Amino acid sequence: MPNSRIPATLLTAALTLFLVNASFAHEASRPVRQITGVLDVLQADDFAHGRHYVFYTIEDLVSGRAYKIRFEKVPPGKLVSGNIISARAVQKGDELVVTAELSSSVQTLDLAASVAAEERRAAVLIVNFSDKAVSTSKTDVGRKVFTDPMVSPPNKSVDGMYREASFGQVGFPGDTNGDGALDVFGPFTIPYTSTSACDYYAWGYAAEDKAVASGIDLSIYQHIVYVMPSNSCGWAGISNVGCATVCRAWIFQSSYGDIYAHEMGHNLSLKHAGTDTNNDGVKESDYGDYSDVMGYSGVGWRQVNAPHKDQMGWFGPFPGQVQKITTGGTYRIAPLETSPDLAISPQILKIKKGNTNEYYYLSYRILSGYDATLRTQYANGCTIHR
């Protein structure tokens, strides 16, 4: 559980969720309680079976105790790790349940923008179980996450992809501690087996303790990425959606670079890139957009799609590159991969969807840079997202 590692006094509420103290007669016999605390949101990804899971934990600001929290209905608002929430919920052991009746009184404030432009300091810990070791070499892990200055031409990495996708505004520098080596540490062997119960926080904390004991100062990092062997969880990875004081990501399939980019993308508050090919509002696949690293992983490097770039605010310094279309006509668009200061046309066209509060995004992708291996159905033509 995360409560022992998140100093609540250092957290800032990006969103506050209030559940009104309403009276629910048929809940009277159940232990309804009020709790205010720091939220931890985790996204687990099982790409092999096309399944994903979202878990919530809340650390009570009064007691410091952590509880699992579950919403019977769709959770209100755009919740991310580090939010402060105040909720009425039914207590069931160590789990708090926001029932359908209680959630009907939810009031929310919208979430502020995610990381727009910032260097992100990340430490990678290679973690072995007592019965199983990571099969990917330390050097290879480092080069999947960071751009290695010893490699020419530059290796493809999470750092390189996000720098290219964000037009240089977001990156993961490889030597935050200034020791001349990539910030990859370990391997550390923890006192758990790969068949132990799926307790990724306990595994991560055990690895952190080993790292600190070896002299590594983890306090200088915003992100901690644990690279571990496959295990009882059965996922490719799991990660915080957004950040509290530290963003954590667990990688259980270490051979694919885009899995690292996907899980660390969740840390930046990016959600999945799915598909709704008949545009009926129901996704056929939560991972189905192969043009975006937030879709399926294990299929190669690529950037993020047009709506994700707009969501992240990466076109903020280049306002003319996102054009809202309100009248019919003929329009030109420049490739999404082009540096905005060199593009001779807008790179995103947005058209308001009449019956909802959504937009259609039109963009044009080419086989260049991290998009050099983009699937053919997305290359050299117009792509429409909603």
Side-chain angles (χ1 to χ4, degrees), residues 16-24 27 32 34 71 73-74 76 86-89 98-109:
T16 304
L17 167 66
F18 294 99
L19 283 86
V20 177
N21 291 324
S23 174
F24 301 99
E27 290 287 349
V32 178
Q34 182 84 26
F71 300 88
K73 299 178 74 174
V74 176
S86 181
R88 280 171 57 82
V98 179
T99 65
E101 291 84 357
L102 290 169
S103 66
S104 66
S105 62
V106 170
Q107 297 177 355
T108 66
L109 300 176

Side-chain angles (χ1 to χ4, degrees), residues 183-266:
D183 292 339
V184 183
F185 308 106
F188 303 104
T189 300
I190 58 175
Y192 296 90
T193 68
S194 60
T195 57
S196 300
C198 178
D199 193 346
Y200 41 88
Y201 265 116
W203 300 342
Y205 291 161
E208 288 180 39
D209 289 341
K210 293 257 186 177
V212 171
S214 73
I216 298 166
D217 181 6
L218 293 179
S219 68
I220 65 175
Y221 299 100
Q222 297 163 289
H223 297 256
I224 299 179
V225 181
Y226 314 96
V227 179
M228 307 183 69
S230 58
N231 52 66
S232 59
C233 298
W235 313 313
I238 183 170
S239 50
N240 290 130
V241 180
C243 287
T245 50
V246 178
C247 316
R248 291 180 169 87
W250 292 256
I251 308 297
F252 301 143
Q253 291 182 0
S254 59
S255 57
Y256 300 105
D258 57 344
I259 290 181
Y260 296 77
H262 183 109
E263 299 303 335
M264 294 171 75
H266 283 314

Side-chain angles (χ1 to χ4, degrees), residues 143-165:
R143 288 175 180 170
K144 282 180 168 58
V145 178
F146 303 117
T147 303
D148 189 341
M150 304 303 293
V151 176
S152 182
N155 57 292
K156 288 194 171 181
S157 64
V158 175
D159 169 63
M161 190 282 290
Y162 279 107
R163 288 185 190 278
E164 182 177 282

Side-chain angles (χ1 to χ4, degrees), residues 28 31 35 39 74 245 253 262 268 358 383:
I35 186 170
L39 191 69
V74 176
T245 50
Q253 291 182 0
H262 183 109
L268 300 179
E358 299 171 300
T383 300

Side-chain angles (χ1 to χ4, degrees), residues 104-127:
S104 66
S105 62
V106 170
Q107 297 177 355
T108 66
L109 300 176
D110 198 11
L111 180 67
S114 318
V115 176
E118 187 179 9
E119 293 279 272
R120 308 293 297 176
R121 303 181 305 277
V124 180
L125 306 184
I126 299 179
V127 186

